[in-house]
Amino acid sequence: MSWTDLPSVVRDGVADVLRSPVVRAQSQTGGFSPGSADRVVTATGERAFVKAISAAQNPDSPGMHRREARITEGLPAGLPVPQLRGTVDVDGWIALVLTDVDGRTPALPWRTDELAAVLHALEILERGATPCPLPELPTARDALAEDFAGFDRLAADGVAVPGVDGLRDLAERGVKALVGDTLVHTDLRADNVLITAEGAVLVDWPWACRGPGWLDTLMVLVEVDRYGGHDTDELLRTTPVTRDADPEDLTGVLAGFAAFFLDAARRDPLPGVPRLRAFQRVQGEALLTWVRRRQGE
């Protein structure tokens, strides 16, 4: 969807938030949301980023947008995140009006300089968001425990995964390792990052929770490892946010995410999100490869 597809009541609501009508909009591609995502310019020359959706595109997405609005609104200044300008919640539509980040998504495969910018942003996030500024958020352990049990569901359904018993044990260790009081994004990859002249900005926060400060760095490196070109295990050993973490805990969390992705990939497609299951399959297989490499297999 793009700006012109939105109902006039939503576009008028955005104009109220920005105190000026939108005269130009540029649709932004990428990601998995079936809603709109536009950089807009008002009649007064002000810029903003607007993302909007209704249940007609996907029944779960409006709730995700509302949760992201609550989270983003509560984030303190000084973190590498966009700021919420306001929301429009009308006629079953929810639109978030955010600061327009003058940046672009990282290149894939990951470039060394762009990866360094993201890892630095995650250091800033760990320092500035520990303890978590939103104590009402769920813990990462509670948020991910069911997902990390994916190997149980695969085994119960007779899906063959070599070494599933050991992988299940690893994933259980991963759940136990999800302890900490840092604000964590839990869904970081290239399409949820913008590279600017000042550094990296982390966007799209509906899945935020409280967990170990190293979790987001580990998640970024999942995609880095999948595309190749970097020694991700060495990065885990040397990056300030992850170097003191127990290597077996990190492997356990990787196994837990592999369980989630491989289990989710076999489900029916989500309404309006036709590419998600294929991505989950690729991500799960890549994670399994990394886990086995870390175990010396």
Side-chain angles (χ1 to χ4, degrees):
M1 298 184 66
S2 62
W3 173 256
T4 54
D5 298 317
L6 301 179
S8 58
V9 67
V10 176
R11 288 183 273 128
D12 291 344
V14 172
D16 290 341
V17 170
L18 297 175
R19 299 183 180 181
S20 179
V22 170
V23 296
R24 189 164 71 252
Q26 182 179 9
S27 183
Q28 304 299 296
T29 60
F32 294 100
S33 172
S36 67
D38 293 271
R39 283 181 161 133
V40 303
V41 182
T42 70
T44 59
E46 187 173 8
R47 296 178 177 273
F49 175 76
V50 179
K51 55 190 295 186
I53 202 162
S54 76
Q57 289 77 54
N58 179 277
D60 297 323
S61 293
M64 290 170 56
H65 272 43
R66 293 185 180 98
R67 186 167 188 267
E68 181 180 357
R70 292 193 298 271
I71 292 168
T72 306
E73 186 176 31
L75 297 181
L79 299 181
V81 301
Q83 293 181 330
L84 183 71
R85 302 284 304 279
T87 59
V88 179
D89 201 334
V90 60
D91 292 351
W93 285 84
I94 172 70
L96 277 61
V97 185
L98 300 139
T99 52
D100 181 36
V101 178
D102 185 12
R104 54 177 174 74
T105 55
L108 293 175
W110 279 79
R111 288 172 25 181
T112 299
D113 59 334
E114 294 179 347
L115 177 57
V118 174
L119 296 180
H120 180 64
L122 290 171
E123 290 180 44
I124 296 171
L125 182 68
E126 186 196 32
R127 290 195 302 267
T130 308
C132 180
L134 300 171
E136 69 276 13
L137 290 179
T139 66
R141 178 181 289 181
D142 289 343
L144 294 170
E146 183 66 19
D147 292 340
F148 279 28
F151 286 129
D152 291 335
R153 293 184 290 273
L154 288 165
D157 291 343
V159 178
V161 179
V164 69
D165 290 336
L167 290 168
R168 182 163 34 199
D169 291 343
L170 269 178
E172 290 176 357
R173 175 169 183 153
V175 171
K176 295 174 183 177
L178 295 174
V179 177
D181 193 28
T182 298
L183 172 74
V184 288
H185 185 289
T186 75
D187 194 31
L188 280 180
R189 54 184 185 270
D191 60 301
N192 283 339
V193 172
L194 290 169
I195 304 295
T196 76
E198 291 76 35
V201 178
L202 316 174
V203 304
D204 292 348
W205 283 84
W207 304 114
C209 54
R210 294 180 288 124
W214 45 258
L215 181 58
D216 284 335
T217 297
L218 184 66
M219 289 309 301
V220 167
L221 292 179
V222 168
E223 184 176 62
V224 174
D225 190 78
R226 178 160 68 91
Y227 278 90
H230 301 269
D231 187 339
T232 46
D233 291 307
E234 179 64 15
L235 285 168
L236 287 175
R237 287 190 292 268
T238 58
T239 299
V241 173
T242 56
R243 63 190 177 196
D244 293 328
D246 188 317
E248 285 300 311
D249 285 347
L250 299 180
T251 305
V253 172
L254 292 173
F257 277 113
F260 162 67
F261 283 116
L262 292 172
D263 180 43
R266 65 199 180 107
R267 301 175 191 167
D268 292 336
L270 293 175
V273 197
R275 296 180 295 113
L276 180 61
R277 298 308 186 204
F279 162 76
Q280 288 173 329
R281 167 63 61 184
V282 170
Q283 191 86 329
E285 290 174 351
L287 274 158
L288 207 52
T289 298
W290 192 9
V291 167
R292 287 174 170 151
R293 191 176 75 235
R294 285 177 64 82
Q295 292 184 295
E297 296 180 14

